């Protein structure tokens, strides 16, 4: 911020003349100035300066609005899954966001993608309108501050009824307003917590500790882990994912509402826990290969 200076008008005779240069871009405008009218002659300088300084503001706002990150088009290759593609591109929202953006191309089964399928990675951002330059004059289209028309008695009664219905709790349930859906972190902690919520809705037993203990033994927390050397792999059904589930078991114990991709961490956990509940009573009772 420039320091404030003291402005002093030098004394001059009534007939003394001078010249003041007003900046107008690259040229200088010389204005004759009488000592008696020096203060008035400075006004055009201020007006020109404000007009020139305001113009770049609109240009900068327009340039900023034009700078948008464009999505990329990805071609699916053999071995790809939506989870893997989202992870490779560090996509915010994970495979679910990728599936949502490409549902028309993928179809109803997010686990079924074919090599050569074109996917759009990254949602398109909506262009923002450039900021309008400030103006000293109010818009002629500004609404009038005249008093609104008073509502009729029937309108007042209808508004009062709507207000009561909004504020009063339900007479049947007496429940409070519904809470927003929970959010989960995109890591092992979030996957387990989301799986536990789904398991609770389907009556599948299991605890955080039981799931975490088995996950660390089976895959060390890697959702893309796969066993290509045991008897299951030799039979063509390798164990996959956090809890190392083979495809036939995954399909048989798949929990509705989760992905059909056995590498999806939440789907893998819930299917494995559903299988463990049927065979061992709970994933908490599993302490070794199962």
């Amino acid at each position: 911020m420039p320091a404030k200076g003291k402005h002093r008008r030098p004394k001059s005779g009534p007939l003394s003349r001078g010249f003041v240069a007003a900046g107008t871009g690259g040229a200088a405008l010389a204005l004759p100035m009488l000592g008696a009218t020096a203060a008035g002659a400075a006004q055009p300088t201020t007006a020109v300066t404000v007009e020139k300084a305001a113009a770049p503001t609109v240009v900068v706002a327009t340039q900023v609005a034009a700078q948008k990150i464009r999505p990329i088009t990805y071609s699916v290759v053999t071995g790809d899954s939506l989870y893997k593609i989202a992870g490779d591109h560090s996509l915010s929202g994970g495979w679910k966001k990728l599936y949502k953006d490409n549902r028309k191309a993928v179809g109803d089964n997010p686990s079924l993608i074919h090599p050569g399928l074109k996917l759009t990675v990254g949602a398109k951002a909506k262009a923002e309108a450039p900021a309008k330059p400030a103006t000293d004059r109010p818009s002629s289209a500004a609404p009038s501050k005249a008093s609104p028309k008073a509502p009729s008695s029937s309108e007042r009664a209808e508004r009062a009824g709507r207000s009561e219905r909004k504020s009063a709790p339900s007479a049947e349930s007496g429940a409070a307003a519904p809470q927003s859906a929970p959010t989960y972190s995109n890591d092992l902690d979030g996957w387990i917590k989301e799986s536990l919520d789904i398991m609770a809705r389907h009556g599948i037993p299991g605890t955080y500790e039981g799931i975490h203990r088995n996950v660390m033994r089976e895959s060390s927390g890697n959702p893309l882990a796969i066993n290509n050397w045991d008897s299951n792999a030799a039979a063509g059904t390798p164990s996959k994912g956090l809890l190392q589930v083979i495809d036939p078991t995954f399909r048989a114990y798949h929990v509705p509402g989760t992905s059909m991709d056995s590498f999806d961490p939440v789907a893998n956990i819930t299917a494995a826990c559903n299988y463990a509940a049927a065979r061992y009573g709970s994933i908490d009772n599993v302490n070794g290969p199962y």
Side-chain angles (χ1 to χ4, degrees):
M1 178 182 295
K4 294 182 179 179
K6 294 184 179 180
H7 301 280
R8 298 179 59 189
R9 185 187 305 168
K11 295 182 180 180
S12 61
L15 297 180
S16 61
R17 293 178 180 268
F19 292 92
V20 58
T24 58
L29 178 63
L31 301 176
M33 177 177 67
L34 291 177
T37 60
Q43 293 179 359
T45 303
T46 303
V48 172
T49 302
V50 172
E51 183 180 355
K52 293 297 181 179
T57 302
V58 179
V59 175
V60 171
T62 304
Q63 292 174 346
V64 172
Q67 295 176 357
K68 298 295 177 185
I69 299 175
R70 296 183 178 179
I72 65 170
T73 299
Y74 177 82
S75 181
V76 175
V77 299
T78 303
D80 270 345
S81 67
L82 294 182
Y83 179 86
K84 181 176 181 296
I85 296 170
D88 290 345
H89 292 82
S90 301
L91 182 62
S92 177
W95 72 268
K96 295 181 180 179
K97 179 67 168 59
L98 182 61
Y99 176 53
K100 180 179 178 182
D101 293 342
N102 295 274
R103 180 158 189 163
K104 186 175 180 180
V106 175
D108 295 333
N109 189 350
S111 65
L112 186 60
I113 58 176
H114 302 286
L117 180 66
K118 303 296 184 182
L119 301 177
T120 300
V121 181
K124 295 182 179 179
K126 295 182 179 180
E128 298 177 359
K132 294 182 179 180
T135 177
D136 294 335
R137 234 179 243 185
S139 172
S140 58
S144 172
K145 293 186 179 180
S147 300
K149 182 181 177 181
S152 64
S153 58
S154 60
E155 291 175 338
R156 288 196 297 269
E158 183 180 354
R159 292 177 185 176
R162 285 199 300 265
S163 177
E164 289 177 0
R165 287 194 295 272
K166 289 181 180 179
S167 60
S170 171
E172 296 179 358
S173 63
Q179 297 180 352
S180 58
T183 57
Y184 307 95
S185 56
N186 190 26
D187 53 20
L188 181 57
D189 178 72
W191 301 331
I192 294 177
K193 289 178 179 177
E194 184 174 357
S195 298
L196 285 170
D197 285 347
I198 297 173
M199 290 163 57
R201 292 197 295 269
H202 289 271
I204 302 172
T207 64
Y208 186 102
E209 190 280 330
I211 296 173
H212 187 273
R213 169 168 44 82
N214 283 283
V215 164
M216 297 309 293
R217 183 189 66 252
E218 294 293 331
S219 66
S220 299
N222 178 12
L224 301 179
I226 184 170
N227 186 325
N228 288 315
W229 57 85
D230 65 1
S231 58
N232 287 324
T237 56
S239 303
K240 301 177 180 178
L242 289 173
L243 284 171
Q244 293 292 281
V245 185
I246 61 176
D247 284 342
T249 300
F250 177 82
R251 289 192 294 268
Y253 292 92
H254 173 260
V255 178
T258 62
S259 172
M260 289 299 299
D261 182 1
S262 60
F263 282 109
D264 179 84
V266 174
N268 189 281
I269 291 174
T270 52
C273 288
N274 195 20
Y275 162 74
R279 184 165 183 179
Y280 303 100
S282 171
I283 191 69
D284 295 342
N285 299 329
V286 177
N287 295 290
Y290 64 112

